[in-house]
Amino acid sequence: MKNDIILSGVGGQGILSIAAVIGLAAVENNFFLKQSEVHGMSQRGGDVQSHLRISGKPVDSDLIQLGKADLIISVEPMEALRYLPWLSPDGWIITNSSPFINIPDYPPVENIYEEINSINNSIIIDAGYLAKEAGSARTENIVVLGAASPFIDIPYESLESGLRKLFGRKGEDIVQMNLKALKAGRDFAVTKI
Amino acid sequence: MKKKRKLLLGDEAIAQAAIDAGLSGIYAYPGTPSTEIMEYVRISPVAQERNIHREWSTNEKTAMEAALGMSYTGKRAMVAMKHVGLNVAADSFINSAITGINGGLIVVSADDPSMHSSQNEQDSRCYSHFAFVPCFEPASQQEAYDMVSDAFELSEKYHVPVMMRITTRLAHSRAGVDMKAEAEPQKKIKLPDDPLQFVLLPAIARKKYKTLLSSYETVRLDVRISKYNSFRDDRKRDLGIITCGIAYNYLMENINNRSLRYPVLKISAYPFSNDIIREITDRCKEILILEEGYPLIEDKLRGILDNGIKVYGRMDGTIPRVGELNPSIVAKALGMPPTDIREVPGVVKTRPPVFCKGCGHADTFNALIEAIKQYGPGKVFSDIGCYTLGALPPYNAINSCVDMGASVTMAVGAADAGLFPSVAIIGDSTFTHSGMTGLLDAVSKNSPVTIIISDNMTTGMTGGQDSQATGRLQNICTGLGVDPAHIRNIVPLKKNHEENVTVMKEELEYRGVSVIISARECIQTASRRKKNTIKDH
């Protein structure tokens, strides 16, 4: 088993929570893991990315090689495209549809969708809508994780227990909301494969 | 002993290892990518239980000296900083090698090749060699953990401080780490046998310098160094590969993926014995050297004449001369066929960092831009922090960002040359880090400068650590001798804009030292505080 995943978004959108859930789930399954994060200046509304590598064997590099990522999981559509050079020829892109517009020259979002759709293996999901349905707009990142879950070689139940571990401190309501968000994302994605 | 396993950042592995090695105190000033070392110790229940000292210091120099003071008492201490912080601490760092240590002392310096969050990509290994201090450079989180206890032992055996040099990718990458089940006890207070050990009078310093030089030679053969430098022979001897630190991972990624059979020398501890270099140069026709940072070993291997064994590396362009390594750069250096790589579509625009919505720095800049407009551009010196983003559109408001505190002193120098008005804008934490002494310069000669302290009551850029300036700025400025009539307090809010512009205009016109404290809490720390308060109720 080997999953090389790029997580992307804008500083503050919660990609490190996605990484943490997958990480906890990987540990539960005794997989090896390396996860490189961005701290510092870019966290102030800049583009951020995390390389997450899970494997049945020890992982060497903390960074994924260009052209070798199995999956790009993005909470922002333009940010999904920024990491295309890392995507392997048969890799998948799972991205949120809602743009995060904090620059003056943000392109028309249809042009971004067009580029994403030109890649065979891609899913664009309206995570904002599904998150609100699940109970809170703040679970948008977890909806995206749910949509990516069919492409991650970790049992779904382990992702659920990862969520419980991560959000357990915040109370059962928050946990249930996130579990719902995860499921909503997954249910959407399985219809698209 | 039974072991525990935990997912840790490289920074956290170092912190955990220090706690487990009987640490008594850690000293640090926040700086990416080193910040999480102190942060981990600060929230560690074991550190709390053991009363390990873990308060932020005012700057890296005070941190280094306090750590040396703790070492003086015989206890184990650690000091952590980013690479440029070591410039600030350099005086005490280099002299601490000459005094030597009593309790084990580790200096962690986190380098930032590619300058993700820094002004340069200096290589701290140069400092370790410059100071004749042994240096560990871990390739993995596990190695970082394991090295810490060896570093403390080495430090105590040879009576020298020991450096741990890490780079961004290790500092901020997480992996499973096996750790000791229980932390070692802390050392008891036991003062140095020689009461003059730390007295660097010239006559004493000369003797101690000789001792340092000779121990730098003997330490090469110590097992705690040699066990981290390993040679693995293989059958493709046309090329031997030397790696330093994390470069080893990028090499092994390529070797394991493609079953390559090159001999590999992994270097992770300095100073090494030259014999291990001969192991590989005697066997192989050519050498490829992979260093994360400066081509330090490469330069030595080539020598001035560069007429020995054929060497490939950063100096001949096999590897880019600047920036961090990655597995793709290493693949190319190994002559791997290029993989088909998709391009970033033109529709993707750059997304530079920006002020958070509602940030007080933005309101301060808006007022300054209006107040200073009539004097024309080029009058504002700035500093290191979130407010450096004032350099970018739409503000385009600052003309310098050099090093911690330089805004104040550069404004003084420019005023000396006749620039009027000459303005500095500096954050609260940066001001107490290195701006106060510059302000004293200004006061002592009554420079016509206007110093704006954009006070967000935290160290914002690194994630909101306590600022030593909080609640003290007024008194510091008065104490340094600024005329209280020209210490002005404003609150950077949209509704105060006109009033703030007026205050700034008045002080820009004043031909003496004025300080404007523009204070409003960082909105990130404010919202965190609000959340925590709700949780507590």
Side-chain angles (χ1 to χ4, degrees):
Chain A
M1 177 276 180
K2 177 191 83 77
N3 281 167
D4 284 341
I5 305 169
I6 302 254
L7 298 162
S8 63
V10 179
Q13 279 195 308
I15 69 164
L16 292 184
S17 300
I18 300 182
V21 174
I22 303 175
L24 289 164
V27 169
E28 190 179 282
N29 287 274
N30 292 317
F31 289 133
F32 292 94
L33 164 91
K34 276 193 177 172
Q35 183 223 326
S36 170
E37 318 177 341
V38 172
H39 295 211
M41 195 148 194
S42 320
Q43 284 180 298
R44 302 279 161 271
D47 52 272
V48 291
Q49 111 291 101
S50 169
H51 290 214
L52 180 56
R53 312 193 63 200
I54 308 159
S55 174
K57 290 188 293 185
V59 178
D60 289 310
S61 170
D62 300 79
L63 298 174
I64 299 169
Q65 208 164 330
L66 292 171
K68 302 273 185 184
D70 304 296
L71 197 55
I72 291 174
I73 304 176
S74 187
V75 283
E76 207 280 346
M78 185 175 82
E79 295 308 321
L81 292 171
R82 196 182 300 282
Y83 304 97
L84 269 192
W86 274 269
L87 193 64
S88 79
D90 49 1
W92 278 80
I93 293 186
I94 315 299
T95 182
N96 191 4
S97 64
S98 48
F100 189 100
I101 302 175
N102 64 346
I103 48 170
D105 56 345
Y106 196 95
V109 73
E110 304 75 48
N111 298 3
I112 294 174
Y113 295 156
E114 200 180 314
E115 283 287 351
I116 297 170
N117 286 325
S118 74
I119 292 152
N120 286 338
N121 301 334
S122 63
I123 293 177
I124 302 178
I125 179 170
D126 187 348
Y129 172 76
L130 291 171
K132 270 185 221 117
E133 292 266 286
S136 163
R138 290 174 59 194
T139 60
E140 214 169 311
N141 54 345
I142 301 304
V143 173
V144 177
L145 171 61
S149 64
F151 305 95
I152 304 171
D153 298 321
I154 293 179
Y156 182 73
E157 299 68 39
S158 298
L159 292 174
E160 289 184 318
S161 80
L163 271 181
R164 280 197 194 91
K165 277 181 201 147
L166 189 67
F167 294 113
R169 284 185 308 127
K170 298 188 175 173
E172 187 56 25
D173 287 354
I174 303 278
V175 169
Q176 286 306 325
M177 212 158 67
N178 279 286
L179 288 173
K180 239 170 116 182
L182 188 75
K183 176 119 191 344
R186 185 180 178 92
D187 288 348
F188 177 84
V190 290
T191 65
K192 301 282 169 188
I193 303 170
Chain B
M1 204 198 304
K2 200 172 157 282
K3 285 185 173 178
K4 291 187 287 191
R5 192 175 176 82
K6 210 171 162 184
L7 263 187
L8 295 175
L9 293 175
D11 275 351
E12 296 172 340
I14 290 172
Q16 179 67 52
I19 295 169
D20 291 347
L23 182 78
S24 292
I26 174 166
Y27 297 85
Y29 182 81
T32 312
S34 70
T35 312
E36 293 76 9
I37 302 172
M38 172 65 107
E39 291 205 314
Y40 185 89
V41 182
R42 280 180 70 76
I43 58 167
S44 152
V46 181
Q48 191 177 0
E49 196 180 290
R50 296 179 150 224
N51 201 20
I52 294 176
H53 174 92
R54 52 190 193 287
E55 298 298 323
W56 292 105
S57 301
T58 303
N59 66 34
E60 292 86 356
K61 179 173 184 283
T62 66
M64 175 75 217
E65 290 156 352
L68 188 62
M70 183 165 276
S71 161
Y72 172 87
T73 69
K75 296 195 175 208
R76 287 184 166 181
M78 176 173 271
V79 52
M81 62 196 76
K82 69 181 295 174
H83 58 338
V84 288
L86 190 52
N87 298 334
V88 178
D91 202 0
S92 45
F93 170 67
I94 285 159
N95 288 337
S96 72
I98 300 185
T99 61
I101 59 88
N102 186 25
L105 175 59
I106 296 179
V107 181
V108 187
S109 185
D111 293 356
D112 189 19
S114 283
M115 307 181 221
H116 298 282
S117 291
S118 303
Q119 300 77 44
N120 72 34
E121 57 174 27
Q122 67 187 57
D123 187 328
S124 295
R125 293 177 302 162
C126 300
Y127 263 118
S128 74
H129 183 64
F130 187 48
F132 304 104
V133 160
C135 174
F136 288 95
E137 192 191 8
S140 67
Q141 294 77 357
Q142 184 67 57
E143 208 169 53
Y145 180 91
D146 296 339
M147 280 173 170
V148 168
S149 66
D150 281 314
F152 274 126
E153 282 178 22
L154 198 73
S155 173
E156 282 158 3
K157 182 172 171 193
Y158 295 88
H159 303 287
V160 289
V162 171
M163 179 187 280
M164 296 253 326
R165 186 247 184 182
I166 55 172
T167 53
T168 307
R169 295 304 177 181
L170 182 69
H172 289 165
S173 171
R174 224 174 271 283
V177 174
D178 289 328
M179 44 198 242
K180 292 176 194 159
E182 251 181 72
E184 284 174 42
Q186 292 182 48
K187 305 267 178 188
K188 300 232 160 35
I189 288 191
K190 184 185 174 296
L191 300 186
D193 295 336
D194 173 7
L196 293 177
Q197 184 194 330
F198 286 81
V199 184
L200 291 185
L201 277 168
I204 299 171
R206 279 180 212 118
K207 272 191 224 150
K208 294 202 67 77
Y209 181 46
K210 281 186 189 158
T211 314
L212 173 65
L213 290 178
S214 89
S215 81
Y216 196 61
E217 289 311 310
T218 44
V219 77
R220 290 174 196 274
L221 302 173
D222 194 285
V223 64
R224 293 171 196 84
I225 294 275
S226 59
K227 74 179 182 193
Y228 292 110
N229 297 329
S230 55
F231 176 65
R232 199 200 62 188
D233 202 1
D234 216 323
R235 61 167 187 255
K236 263 187 80 90
R237 287 179 170 174
D238 46 332
L239 184 72
I241 304 171
I242 301 177
T243 70
C244 300
I246 200 168
Y248 179 74
N249 301 352
Y250 304 145
L251 175 68
M252 295 317 287
E253 180 77 20
N254 280 284
I255 285 192
N256 288 336
N257 280 350
R258 299 185 172 87
S259 309
L260 306 177
R261 307 299 299 267
Y262 297 111
V264 175
L265 172 61
K266 170 181 182 286
I267 291 178
S268 282
Y270 311 78
F272 45 79
S273 152
N274 290 341
D275 291 343
I276 59 160
I277 299 288
R278 275 184 215 108
E279 290 262 7
I280 190 162
T281 53
D282 285 353
R283 283 182 174 82
C284 301
K285 273 194 232 134
E286 301 183 325
I287 299 290
L288 169 67
I289 175 142
L290 305 170
E291 293 179 85
E292 183 79 310
Y294 288 3
L296 215 66
I297 296 178
E298 181 183 346
D299 193 25
K300 284 188 180 169
L301 212 54
R302 289 180 189 276
I304 290 174
L305 299 178
D306 198 5
N307 59 357
I309 190 167
K310 174 78 185 160
V311 177
Y312 301 98
R314 285 193 189 266
M315 294 171 77
D316 69 339
T318 305
I319 306 279
R321 180 63 183 78
V322 299
E324 64 180 350
L325 299 173
N326 62 46
S328 306
I329 289 175
V330 172
K332 194 170 166 225
L334 290 170
M336 295 296 120
T339 26
D340 277 342
I341 288 164
R342 298 179 221 235
E343 301 211 342
V344 181
V347 71
V348 176
K349 305 295 176 208
T350 55
R351 196 192 295 263
V354 287
F355 288 124
C356 305
K357 214 170 159 194
C359 172
H361 292 315
D363 292 311
T364 303
F365 275 119
N366 285 331
L368 175 62
I369 289 164
E370 192 174 327
I372 205 167
K373 201 154 80 193
Q374 56 170 312
Y375 302 99
K379 310 273 192 313
V380 182
F381 301 91
S382 192
D383 231 294
I384 316 263
C386 287
Y387 49 93
T388 315
L389 296 173
L392 304 178
Y395 303 96
N396 306 310
I398 64 169
N399 308 105
S400 80
C401 159
V402 181
D403 66 76
M404 297 287 280
S407 61
V408 177
T409 23
M410 282 182 74
V412 169
D416 289 344
L419 186 75
F420 181 81
S422 191
V423 180
I425 180 160
I426 183 170
D428 51 313
S429 182
T430 308
F431 176 73
T432 45
H433 178 290
S434 288
M436 298 190 294
T437 42
L439 182 57
L440 186 57
D441 272 356
V443 167
S444 67
K445 54 188 176 182
N446 197 30
S447 290
V449 291
T450 306
I451 314 295
I452 300 168
I453 304 177
S454 195
D455 178 12
N456 61 357
M457 303 163 199
T458 189
T459 314
M461 178 61 89
T462 45
Q465 294 76 25
D466 300 341
S467 163
Q468 311 284 357
T470 303
R472 301 193 176 110
L473 286 172
Q474 185 81 26
N475 287 343
I476 289 171
C477 295
T478 315
L480 287 173
V482 182
D483 177 357
H486 293 283
I487 302 175
R488 309 288 295 271
N489 290 278
I490 62 174
V491 178
L493 281 168
K494 272 199 187 66
K495 62 172 187 184
N496 299 343
H497 180 76
E498 294 311 322
E499 191 187 325
N500 293 346
V501 171
T502 308
V503 170
M504 285 187 185
K505 278 185 173 167
E506 286 168 11
E507 295 308 328
L508 287 174
E509 267 307 308
Y510 173 62
R511 307 269 169 160
V513 180
S514 55
V515 175
I516 300 168
I517 302 170
S518 181
R520 178 153 70 81
E521 188 179 7
C522 166
I523 62 148
Q524 296 283 352
T525 53
S527 78
R528 253 202 311 272
R529 196 163 44 78
K530 225 193 262 163
K531 261 189 232 158
N532 289 341
T533 324
I534 294 165
K535 225 190 294 168
D536 291 345
H537 281 79

